[in-house]
């Protein structure tokens, strides 16, 4: 890779909703890349019903990173490698919190390697403070009336409370 070529990374996910663990990974990614596209998956299946609509998920991420010109938020449909190619991204970022993430992440990275050999997956480890945190746990705790203010930023917390009628 030429040293003058900017490194563009994609951080794909459902972000339903974005948590402080995701935010931590975005900041870590920006230490090693020039530009980051947070790619929000639009795919919803019966087994993966979202709490937040795609537009809401995009808007919340935009609110959180709107001051950083290196961060862009986009929706994506279809294959991740096709989206990465269209953007000219060389790197896909995924987080590894614990060994339990590894099987799924390795499988996905290897499939993406088959489909798009020119694109590299980089695994980043979040701060230990967030190693137990997931969007699904945030949804569950919030829906049962628990306090999730430590785990999500203010705009997400406000929207969660509105959505859950709290
Ligand atoms: O936050 P998630 O739900 O773990 O994110 C999963 C996501 C959206 C990154 C993954 O499902 C994905 O990349 N979907 C796009 C479809 C695709 O490219 N599938 C083949 C690669 S395994």
């Amino acid at each position: 890779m030429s040293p003058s070529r900017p490194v563009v990374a994609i951080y794909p996910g459902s972000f339903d909703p974005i948590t402080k663990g995701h935010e931590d990974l975005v900041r870590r990614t920006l230490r090693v890349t020039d530009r980051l596209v947070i790619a929000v998956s639009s795919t919803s299946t019966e087994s993966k019903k979202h709490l937040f609509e795609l537009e809401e998920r995009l808007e919340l991420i935009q609110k959180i990173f709107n001051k950083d010109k290196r961060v862009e938020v986009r929706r994506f449909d279809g294959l991740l490698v096709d989206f990465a190619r269209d953007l000219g991204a060389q790197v896909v970022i995924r987080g590894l919190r614990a060994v339990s993430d590894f099987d799924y992440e390795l499988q996905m990275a290897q499939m993406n390697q088959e489909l798009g050999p020119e694109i590299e997956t980089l695994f980043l480890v979040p701060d230990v403070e967030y190693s137990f945190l997931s969007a699904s746990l945030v949804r569950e705790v919030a829906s049962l009336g628990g306090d999730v203010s430590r785990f999500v930023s203010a705009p997400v917390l406000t929207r969660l409370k509105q959505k859950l009628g709290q």
Side-chain angles (χ1 to χ4, degrees):
M1 190 181 301
S2 136
S4 59
R5 187 177 168 206
V7 178
V8 180
I10 290 196
Y11 180 20
S14 309
F15 303 103
D16 183 32
I18 184 165
T19 68
K20 288 195 178 174
H22 294 126
E23 291 179 36
D24 181 60
L25 273 207
V26 168
R27 288 190 199 99
R28 287 172 192 279
T29 303
L30 290 170
R31 290 181 184 168
V32 291
T33 64
D34 300 296
R35 205 180 125 216
L36 173 62
V37 177
I38 303 177
V40 184
S41 166
S42 68
T43 313
S44 187
T45 56
E46 245 339 277
S47 62
K48 207 173 192 179
K49 280 215 152 155
H50 294 122
L51 175 64
F52 288 92
E53 298 298 329
L54 175 68
E55 289 308 322
E56 292 180 291
R57 289 181 275 141
L58 290 163
E59 187 196 318
L60 288 170
I61 303 170
Q62 254 144 10
K63 266 194 180 152
I64 291 167
F65 294 107
N66 71 349
K67 289 199 180 76
D68 198 326
K69 297 262 179 295
R70 294 168 301 170
V71 179
E72 197 184 322
V73 188
R74 300 270 289 263
R75 64 174 280 167
F76 83 102
D77 320 90
L79 284 179
L80 178 64
V81 291
D82 290 340
F83 185 66
R85 268 195 204 111
D86 290 348
L87 284 174
Q90 305 97 321
V91 174
V92 170
I93 301 291
R94 291 289 290 174
L96 276 185
R97 291 163 299 190
V99 176
S100 51
D101 283 339
F102 188 72
D103 277 353
Y104 171 62
E105 293 298 335
L106 181 68
Q107 219 180 350
M108 210 156 65
Q110 287 177 330
M111 176 55 85
N112 284 334
Q113 205 172 64
E114 287 294 318
L115 299 171
E118 77 282 20
I119 297 161
E120 295 296 343
T121 299
L122 284 190
F123 292 114
L124 294 183
V125 176
D127 192 294
V128 68
E129 194 184 348
Y130 305 122
S131 59
F132 61 92
L133 184 57
S134 67
S136 58
L137 276 184
V138 165
R139 293 196 302 271
E140 183 175 325
V141 172
S143 69
L144 296 171
D147 177 13
V148 293
S149 57
R150 291 191 305 283
F151 312 134
V152 295
S153 284
V156 179
L157 189 64
T158 306
R159 200 64 71 84
L160 261 174
K161 286 183 175 164
Q162 283 168 355
K163 206 165 249 308
L164 299 169
Q166 292 166 2

